[in-house]
Amino acid sequence: MTTTHSPPPLRHRAPRPARRRSPAVPLLAAAGAGGAAVLGLWWQGTGVVSGADGWLTGAGRIMGLMCGYMCALLVALMARVPLLEKGLGSDRTARWHASAGRWTVGLLLGHIVLITLGYAAQSRTDPVSELGTIVLDYPEMLKGTAGAAVLALVGFVSARAVRRRMRYETWYYLHVLTYAAIFLAFGHQLALGADFAGGAAARAAWYALYLGVAALVLWFRVLVPVRLNVRHRLRVEAVVREAPGVSSVWVSGRRLEALGAEPGQFFRWRFLAPGMWGASHPYSLSAVPRGGFLRITVKALGDHSASVAGLTRGTRVWAEGPYGALTAGLRRSRRVLLLAGGTGITPLRTLFETLPAAPGDLTLLYRARTAEELALRGELESIAAGRGARLVYVLNDADGTRTDVTADGLRRMLPDIAAHDVYLCGPHGLALASYDALREAGVPASRVHYESFEL
């Protein structure tokens, strides 16, 4: 079933917003240059490689160095640096972090296997006995082994199949153990790394790398949030039911305009209420910040989100942000389609209100199972009427048959859809299917803007 609110005729063109330049290429180039420098460190400290034991040990050393370098990158990607969170987008940063994590664990395992085989070949003993000797007799190896075990555990619980079966809070606190793993392994790197043993410059560079990353974490994950929350003193003002299982939380505070939050962005919220203070969760702003208030709209999908409806006025709130790149700065075209599913409507509702657009150039497509599940429906219809924008609901049939967003349906709705920028937000499965439909309908990949909060 589809319901459409049509706009009045086109009257004028809206200005085209400035295009935001992505920092992805310079960041990847810098990371690659760092990796090349690490390989150079091995090359400089290595003489002639000969024999099976030499090749195995040399390959193991390279993997160990690269693993240490990747550990620093892993932590930097967790530091919530604004250049990453706002320039790349939190979801892209998270994907980079996940990819770097897989490479790190792979390099770690390769390092352990190759070094053990190389040392065993050199001492003419079996690998199991040699591994026991390495762990028990070499300096800093007990701590290094503990760090390796923790890092392998974090890699295991971060696998998608495992993560989906865990409570978010459990996964989160296990994931934070990455810091402990790297701390435990750092001494091992310097004590046994042949590339650091006689090189003061190499040791200084390694200390600078790790201390620099630690400074990023301290500043952006500790001091900046403390400053934000001491300055703005956020509290729950009211909780409003919007739809079955969906509630909006109004948050009050001081000088909220200084937060600089843009439509489409989100914060990580920690409500200091019983059973909820243990972890922060990302929720998008569902209203443009104004009048000393922020608003989020949350669907009950788990223990934490279900508890949001029971928050009471005056509950203290700890927030971090704003984060996210799903903002007007991504836009390249005059015409824009906002495609939302479920509570993916929340960031798109703020863009629907604020994106510069002439009547007829802005369309919001909202996918839900039933009309009762259309959160913020009254607000959306008021915005559509006031702006001359088009609002389309895609609902299941009366018998419950699912209605999908298809390429043919998109072309019928917007014959010139290939000339649109598309902002996409919704559950992971719907977003993937919608992305495929958009690409089939002719929308270039560079004009599909999507930010996922799936963890």
Side-chain angles (χ1 to χ4, degrees), residues 9-335:
L10 177 66
R11 292 191 293 270
H12 66 280
R13 288 192 175 190
R16 182 176 298 179
R19 180 175 170 180
R20 176 178 291 167
R21 187 181 298 275
S22 171
V25 173
L27 287 171
L28 288 173
V38 171
L39 290 177
L41 179 65
W42 172 83
W43 182 270
Q44 183 181 15
T46 302
V48 177
V49 178
S50 62
D53 58 335
W55 285 103
L56 288 169
T57 303
R61 283 175 53 201
I62 291 174
M63 286 194 167
L65 282 169
M66 292 304 298
C67 179
Y69 175 66
M70 292 298 294
C71 283
L73 294 187
L74 269 181
V75 175
L77 289 167
M78 294 170 66
R80 297 178 185 166
V81 179
L83 176 65
L84 300 175
E85 295 283 338
K86 298 179 182 179
L88 289 178
S90 293
D91 65 328
R92 194 174 186 183
T93 302
R95 288 196 299 271
W96 283 18
H97 174 75
S99 178
R102 289 188 289 270
W103 276 101
T104 302
V105 173
L107 289 166
L108 172 66
L109 297 177
H111 168 66
I112 294 171
V113 170
L114 292 174
I115 285 290
T116 301
L117 292 176
Y119 283 12
Q122 189 176 36
S123 61
R124 301 184 185 279
T125 186
D126 66 277
V128 175
S129 299
E130 186 63 31
L131 180 61
T133 300
I134 293 172
V135 171
L136 297 175
D137 296 344
Y138 282 53
E140 296 286 343
M141 269 309 305
L142 287 176
K143 289 195 293 185
T145 301
V150 171
L151 195 60
L153 172 64
V154 172
F156 173 74
V157 301
S158 296
R160 186 181 295 271
V162 178
R163 190 177 64 209
R164 286 178 170 175
R165 289 169 171 78
M166 300 181 69
R167 294 179 68 247
Y168 170 79
E169 288 78 8
T170 302
W171 171 85
Y172 175 82
Y173 284 111
L174 286 174
H175 204 72
V176 170
L177 289 175
T178 302
Y179 296 123
I182 294 171
F183 174 77
L184 289 170
F186 183 72
H188 154 68
Q189 296 176 51
L190 294 179
L192 293 180
D195 306 286
F196 302 114
R203 293 173 67 90
W206 214 246
Y207 269 110
L209 173 65
Y210 274 76
L211 290 175
V213 169
L216 291 177
V217 173
L218 177 63
W219 182 259
F220 291 111
R221 295 205 65 162
V222 179
L223 299 180
V224 168
V226 167
R227 176 180 180 273
L228 182 154
N229 287 280
V230 169
R231 181 182 187 186
H232 298 290
R233 299 184 179 274
L234 304 176
R235 295 180 183 272
V236 172
E237 187 67 24
V239 178
V240 179
R241 182 182 182 275
E242 302 287 2
V246 180
S247 300
S248 287
V249 181
W250 287 90
V251 176
S252 62
R254 302 187 304 184
R255 302 192 299 274
L256 297 186
E257 68 283 352
L259 289 170
E262 298 181 55
Q265 290 191 307
F266 69 96
F267 288 77
R268 287 183 169 89
W269 304 88
R270 189 188 304 268
F271 297 101
L272 305 185
M276 299 184 71
W277 62 268
S280 61
H281 289 249
Y283 299 123
S284 295
L285 296 176
S286 62
V288 178
R290 58 169 63 98
F293 294 97
L294 304 174
R295 187 184 72 176
I296 58 174
T297 301
V298 180
K299 185 173 184 178
L301 297 173
D303 294 343
H304 185 276
S305 54
S307 300
V308 166
L311 289 170
T312 58
R313 184 180 182 186
T315 299
R316 293 291 301 270
V317 181
W318 185 273
E320 299 175 41
Y323 301 125
L326 196 70
T327 63
L330 297 175
R331 180 181 171 191
R332 302 179 182 184
S333 306
R334 177 168 60 89
R335 299 181 180 88

